[in-house]
Amino acid sequence: MELYPYFHIAPKLLEAAQRAEELARPQFREIESIQRYNQQKMLAAFNRAGVSESHFVGSTGYGYGDRGRDVLDQVYAYAFGAEDALVRHNFVSGTHTLTVALFGVLRPGDKMLCVTGTPYDTIQGVIGMSGREEPGCLKEFGIQYEELDLRPDGMPDLEAMEQRISPEYKMIYIQRSRGYSLRPSLRVEDIAPIVEIAKRKAPDSIVMVDNCYGEFVEREEPLAVGADMIAGSLIKNPGGGIAPTGGYIAGRRDLVELCSYRLTTPGTGREIGCTLGNNRELFMGAFHAPHVAGEALKTAVFASALFSQLGFGVTPTVEEKRGDIIQVMMLENAKNLIAFCKGVQKGAPVDSFVVPEPSDMPGYDSQVIMAAGAFTLGSSIELSADAPLREPYAAWMQGGLNYHSGQLGMLLAAQEMLDEGLLNLQ
């Protein structure tokens, strides 16, 4: 493996990288096939929506008649196979986007059932779970929450759903990605039987999927198998590393309309909301998203192959089919975890000189360490790694705007561990 002279990687690590690429090659071919298909799908979405340079012009004030805003919604709807979509730069995070969706369609007295176990930390406060009853949460508005445990293998318990789901539930909620857990992320084929059970047992229920990290990983999105709503962040997969902020909600037209009333005001909904000159970046990010998501997937597969060779547990393994871009390395102790994140930071194009340190973070119950030197603050489609400092001392790695820099970032992470005497290369 040829290396630019600026970087110093131990010869044995370079040999391991070569072996890792060979192991990953079959998965790379499949990822590149999906990239090609989804890029064609995105181009078709732009063509069908009739995107024009005039749509890049920003609006101010109320934003009435912002043609670019409305056409961007059409592009995402076409790309996701949705009746409608709501794409806005003023969704401040994925959690905010999901919150708007939940409050948009649920009403006091409604019950929601999460069938993928306990959701990740920041959503717990939105719901108002025990010990996380944040002011203004769903619980304060009389919306009841229940959840089903996952099976011992981390997959949704379809038999339990058959017993539990009934018309009393207004929403069946699915978290596609693993969050800070080691359970598998869900592929569209895993979501399909959940939707089938939900629609058979509770025909009027709304099946909502937190689609964060899963966009463009496969040829289809959860809407293709009957989900009613999906939502996610534009600084993850669907923004292509170009969108500076924002989120999307897509799905049934009536539900998207309700969400627009929550985002702005009842009655005005999507008709207002200026774009302030952000349209061009949001369009461009959407266009690049299928390719960039594929590059992040390739980085994840390489990382899995490399760190498994170095003796660490990984999930998914290099051969496993993936439902999101996240790769987990079980690094066994705090020293390994911190060194790994320091190395990832050295592979960043921005702030490579920064040394990550564990710290408290709002919404999390333990200290968190994060490595991310990104063009967009907090962007999870750019190479990053983060982890709570708690058992099993696993690093959740995601992103990589292009595979070649992502690959180098993983090698620098391993090199940092080697430099600190934490790896024993035979």
Side-chain angles (χ1 to χ4, degrees), residues 56-79:
F56 304 156
V57 176
S59 59
T60 58
Y62 297 120
Y64 285 123
D66 189 313
R67 295 171 56 246
R69 179 193 63 207
D70 299 338
V71 168
L72 183 65
D73 289 344
Q74 292 177 30
V75 166
Y76 272 83
Y78 289 141

Side-chain angles (χ1 to χ4, degrees), residues 101-179:
L102 291 168
F103 276 95
V105 302
L106 295 174
R107 299 291 181 267
D110 286 345
K111 295 177 71 173
M112 67 178 286
L113 175 67
C114 179
V115 296
T116 47
T118 302
Y120 56 78
D121 300 59
T122 55
I123 289 294
Q124 293 175 28
V126 174
I127 293 167
M129 295 176 64
S130 179
R132 297 295 308 279
E133 295 94 344
E134 305 290 351
C137 64
L138 290 170
K139 184 177 181 179
E140 278 196 355
F141 283 80
I143 296 164
Q144 302 173 61
Y145 171 82
E146 297 176 10
E147 66 184 42
L148 276 177
D149 291 335
L150 296 166
R151 297 184 328 211
D153 65 358
M155 292 299 289
D157 192 333
L158 299 180
E159 291 184 7
M161 290 180 214
E162 290 279 6
Q163 300 299 316
R164 183 76 165 272
I165 295 176
S166 70
E168 68 178 309
Y169 293 107
K170 176 69 174 291
M171 174 177 285
I172 307 301
Y173 185 85
I174 300 167
Q175 181 180 299
R176 183 174 183 180
S177 191
R178 65 182 66 220

Side-chain angles (χ1 to χ4, degrees), residues 164-233:
R164 183 76 165 272
I165 295 176
S166 70
E168 68 178 309
Y169 293 107
K170 176 69 174 291
M171 174 177 285
I172 307 301
Y173 185 85
I174 300 167
Q175 181 180 299
R176 183 174 183 180
S177 191
R178 65 182 66 220
Y180 280 144
S181 77
L182 298 179
R183 63 98 161 165
S185 56
L186 300 185
R187 305 182 70 228
V188 172
E189 66 182 30
D190 301 317
I191 293 170
I194 300 175
V195 176
E196 189 278 326
I197 294 170
K199 292 302 182 182
R200 176 162 44 82
K201 305 288 287 187
D204 295 327
S205 66
I206 298 165
V207 179
M208 177 176 165
V209 179
D210 171 357
N211 206 32
C212 286
Y213 297 106
E215 299 91 351
F216 305 119
V217 169
E218 301 183 79
R219 287 174 173 81
E220 303 293 345
E221 300 296 329
L223 298 174
V225 294
D228 297 299
M229 297 172 64
I230 59 175
S233 166

Side-chain angles (χ1 to χ4, degrees), residues 155-345:
M155 292 299 289
D157 192 333
L158 299 180
E159 291 184 7
M161 290 180 214
E162 290 279 6
Q163 300 299 316
R164 183 76 165 272
I165 295 176
S166 70
E168 68 178 309
Y169 293 107
K170 176 69 174 291
M171 174 177 285
I172 307 301
Y173 185 85
I174 300 167
Q175 181 180 299
R176 183 174 183 180
S177 191
R178 65 182 66 220
Y180 280 144
S181 77
L182 298 179
R183 63 98 161 165
S185 56
L186 300 185
R187 305 182 70 228
V188 172
E189 66 182 30
D190 301 317
I191 293 170
I194 300 175
V195 176
E196 189 278 326
I197 294 170
K199 292 302 182 182
R200 176 162 44 82
K201 305 288 287 187
D204 295 327
S205 66
I206 298 165
V207 179
M208 177 176 165
V209 179
D210 171 357
N211 206 32
C212 286
Y213 297 106
E215 299 91 351
F216 305 119
V217 169
E218 301 183 79
R219 287 174 173 81
E220 303 293 345
E221 300 296 329
L223 298 174
V225 294
D228 297 299
M229 297 172 64
I230 59 175
S233 166
L234 296 191
I235 62 170
K236 296 183 176 70
N237 306 22
I242 295 174
T245 185
Y248 74 89
I249 299 169
R252 273 174 34 193
R253 182 168 285 107
D254 59 324
L255 300 178
V256 172
E257 189 71 12
L258 289 174
C259 294
S260 77
Y261 294 158
R262 173 67 188 188
L263 177 63
T264 61
T265 71
T268 57
R270 68 193 312 149
E271 300 301 319
I272 61 173
C274 62
T275 54
L276 298 174
N278 288 286
N279 284 354
R280 181 179 179 276
E281 289 175 298
L282 299 191
F283 275 107
M284 196 171 182
F287 186 72
H288 281 274
H291 179 75
V292 173
E295 296 296 281
L297 268 179
K298 290 168 70 175
T299 300
V301 171
F302 172 79
S304 179
L306 177 65
F307 277 85
S308 63
Q309 287 191 75
L310 298 178
F312 296 101
V314 295
T315 177
T317 62
V318 67
E319 302 91 357
E320 285 183 76
K321 298 289 187 180
R322 294 166 183 262
D324 65 14
I325 64 170
I326 297 174
Q327 179 62 45
V328 181
M329 273 71 74
M330 271 77 81
L331 297 173
E332 301 173 356
N333 59 60
K335 285 185 177 180
N336 287 344
L337 179 57
I338 293 169
F340 175 89
C341 290
K342 286 164 64 177
V344 172
Q345 188 73 33

Side-chain angles (χ1 to χ4, degrees), residues 37-108:
Y37 181 84
N38 283 335
Q39 194 63 61
Q40 293 171 3
K41 179 168 54 175
M42 184 59 75
L43 180 57
F46 271 66
N47 289 174
R48 292 173 68 187
V51 176
S52 162
E53 186 179 0
S54 64
H55 295 142
F56 304 156
V57 176
S59 59
T60 58
Y62 297 120
Y64 285 123
D66 189 313
R67 295 171 56 246
R69 179 193 63 207
D70 299 338
V71 168
L72 183 65
D73 289 344
Q74 292 177 30
V75 166
Y76 272 83
Y78 289 141
F80 286 145
E83 291 181 2
D84 201 359
L86 186 69
V87 187
R88 296 293 182 272
H89 75 275
N90 50 312
F91 284 123
V92 302
S93 67
T95 300
H96 177 214
T97 309
L98 292 162
T99 300
V100 169
L102 291 168
F103 276 95
V105 302
L106 295 174
R107 299 291 181 267

